[in-house]
Amino acid sequence: KLTDAHWFIECMERGAKMVVIAPEYSPTAQKADYWIPIRPGTDPALQLGVTNILFKEKLYDEPFVKRFTDMPLLVRMDTLKLLRASEVFPDYINQELKGYSSTVQKIDPESREQWGDFVVWDTKTKKPFAITREDVGNYIDERGLDPALEGNFKIRDTKGKKVSVKTVFQLYKELCSEYDLKTTNEITGSPKELIVRLARDLGSIRPAAVHTGEGVNHYFHCDITTRGTFLWMALTGNIGKPGSGVGHWAGNYKFC
């Protein structure tokens, strides 16, 4: 609608590359650099198929993913839950949070104890390492960590049980491998060459942003589409930077 077109046209005037993903060839699609037709309701399949290419061609921003996402966190394969530090290190005491969690968010102490601390696999020491929800960005560097993104590791928990663990990144990579180009094309109806083109654009253009319309919020399990959108942005380092991120264009405004 009119208010959205204002920003859309400004992007065009400033030389942004525009891609429209929609079932119909709309007036908006006519003004894009390219239009990707898609079968209604199959957006998550397209997102996972594009992400599969990001993984295969290593088009993701590895430093950003390691320092600003939860993808290095380890997941137990026996429960499919995030591994907690208290499950690995005997008599572990949750570390005191003194940063943003405490000063701004003011997290309830009881909730903080329930959440606990998490675990990554440090490639330098080749051992599990406990981290808090505040160990992001420069704090990862200050601790001298190099969290593994890929891999299947064996750890022994505090009960003496040997447990298989994988990173969140590894699990996403395995899931997305099921959405190869042929499968993604068959599900979505989107042309193969445009699926590849979108993946390579997302993996090379900085900054990038994705804006979704109201239609994708009006069918069952629509939250999965939004998760897929944030997955693109997290993998390519397009969060927290001017011109990047996820936006949503919807709603009608009435003025009295």
Side-chain angles (χ1 to χ4, degrees), residues 1 3 6 31 49 57 64-65 95 98 113 128 142 154 170 172 203 208 210 213 217 228 241:
K1 54 187 181 293
T3 52
H6 167 72
K31 296 171 179 61
E57 299 190 6
F64 182 91
V65 173
Q95 299 175 42
K98 299 180 180 179
E113 286 303 308
E142 290 173 4
K154 297 287 185 181
Q170 180 68 36
Y172 267 120
V210 177
N217 283 346
K241 303 170 184 176

Side-chain angles (χ1 to χ4, degrees), residues 11 25 54 75 80 181 215 218:
C11 287
Y25 189 59
L54 295 177
V75 179
L80 294 182
L181 198 55
H218 287 180

Side-chain angles (χ1 to χ4, degrees), residues 212-229:
T212 60
E214 193 169 9
V216 294
N217 283 346
H218 287 180
Y219 54 77
F220 288 113
H221 307 299
C222 57
D223 59 306
I224 298 176
T225 302
T226 304
R227 288 174 182 268
T229 306

Side-chain angles (χ1 to χ4, degrees), residues 8 11-12 15-22 24-26 28-38 46 50 190-191 193-202 205 208-213 232 249:
F8 185 87
C11 287
M12 293 172 59
K17 176 171 281 192
M18 314 295 294
V19 183
V20 170
I21 304 170
E24 77 286 357
Y25 189 59
S26 64
T28 305
Q30 295 169 18
K31 296 171 179 61
D33 288 85
Y34 58 98
W35 162 60
I36 302 180
I38 187 171
L46 175 65
V50 167
S190 302
E193 64 276 12
L194 293 183
I195 296 172
V196 174
R197 184 178 179 182
L198 175 60
R200 290 175 178 168
D201 279 346
L202 278 172
I205 296 175
V210 177
H211 293 270
T212 60
W232 280 355
W249 294 349

Side-chain angles (χ1 to χ4, degrees), residues 137-150:
N138 292 334
Y139 294 105
I140 289 288
D141 304 330
E142 290 173 4
R143 302 195 73 168
L145 285 174
D146 182 28
L149 287 182
E150 300 182 57

Side-chain angles (χ1 to χ4, degrees), residues 55 60 65 69-73 148-151 166-174 235:
F55 282 133
Y60 50 86
V65 173
T69 77
D70 67 350
M71 293 191 190
L73 299 186
L149 287 182
E150 300 182 57
K166 294 182 180 180
T167 64
V168 173
F169 183 94
Q170 180 68 36
L171 292 174
Y172 267 120
K173 187 175 181 180
E174 292 175 8
L235 279 173

